[in-house]
Amino acid sequence: MAKTSTTTQGLRAAIERSGYYPALVAEAVEAAVGGEPIRSYLVHQETTFDANEVRRHVTVLVLTGNRFIVSHTDEQAADDTSPTPYATTSTESVKLGRIASVVLSRVVANPESYTPGTLPREVVLTIGWGAVSRIDLEPAACGDPNCEADHGYTGSSTADDLSLRVSEAGDGPETVRQALAFAQALSEATADESR
């Protein structure tokens, strides 16, 4: 990453603020981005509970002029393969033209008195590029309540490559703002790619 870019410096600062293995996370993201200028980014840390253990996870999303980069870092407890705790970091680079959908769901309190520009209570950003799909099936039926025939199945296929929930209560208002800005930048970038 070019160290002179304000956006690059902001990304580095956000990774460091997360406090989650910042040197490891930054190195993985920098390697994936290479020398491309960064248009937008989002750093999201979450804590999960697995049986009797607390685990942390950080997701870093980066938008460049040509690519959407996703980085995940998870920590693992010592196990049969490692006598000490360890972390796993992965990055995926997706060409903007492959992104099929950018879905942003907003949750607002008291919608009857909503004022434009008010920060949502939470947002869920779902991005699909065809690497992972979810199929929901259910038995098909006809309109006859006495029918016992097998009508097969009906269902839907949903792109479900990445879904990220950010809330004001859990992540703070600045992270919600950053998620909204990233979603808008990614939506605009994919619209440009479709022309």
Side-chain angles (χ1 to χ4, degrees):
M1 278 195 282
K3 301 296 181 207
T4 57
S5 166
T6 303
T7 305
T8 301
Q9 291 170 352
L11 172 58
R12 175 67 95 137
I15 290 171
E16 289 176 6
R17 258 192 321 276
S18 80
Y20 184 76
Y21 307 124
L24 174 66
V25 173
E27 181 179 53
V29 171
E30 288 174 2
V33 171
E36 287 188 71
I38 296 172
R39 293 169 67 176
S40 187
Y41 64 86
L42 175 62
V43 177
H44 181 253
Q45 183 195 340
E46 63 182 318
T47 303
T48 58
F49 300 94
D50 183 18
N52 295 330
E53 297 179 18
V54 177
R55 294 194 182 173
R56 296 179 300 161
H57 172 90
V58 70
T59 301
V60 179
L61 308 180
V62 178
L63 175 63
T64 71
N66 301 310
R67 299 179 297 145
F68 165 63
I69 297 164
V70 183
S71 175
H72 294 287
T73 303
D74 292 291
E75 64 183 357
Q76 306 294 328
D79 58 25
D80 295 338
T81 64
S82 176
T84 60
Y86 59 97
T88 304
T89 299
S90 64
T91 56
E92 182 173 2
S93 176
V94 181
K95 289 185 178 186
L96 288 178
R98 287 201 47 220
I99 295 179
S101 66
V102 178
V103 180
L104 182 68
S105 301
R106 301 167 188 244
V107 176
V108 298
N110 303 314
E112 67 281 352
S113 60
Y114 176 77
T115 304
T118 302
L119 200 60
R121 187 170 66 196
E122 69 181 57
V123 296
V124 178
L125 175 60
T126 305
I127 304 165
W129 58 91
V132 178
S133 293
R134 181 182 69 236
I135 298 177
D136 295 318
L137 295 175
E138 61 184 39
C142 66
D144 181 358
N146 297 319
C147 180
E148 296 181 12
D150 182 357
H151 295 285
Y153 290 89
T154 186
S156 62
S157 175
T158 308
D160 199 18
D161 295 303
L162 175 76
S163 188
L164 192 69
R165 177 184 171 269
V166 178
S167 72
E168 186 176 19
D171 304 296
E174 187 52 39
T175 304
V176 174
R177 279 188 201 87
Q178 190 69 39
L180 292 169
F182 184 84
Q184 181 175 349
L186 184 59
S187 291
E188 290 170 358
T190 56
D192 288 346
E193 281 295 307
S194 64
R195 290 182 202 165

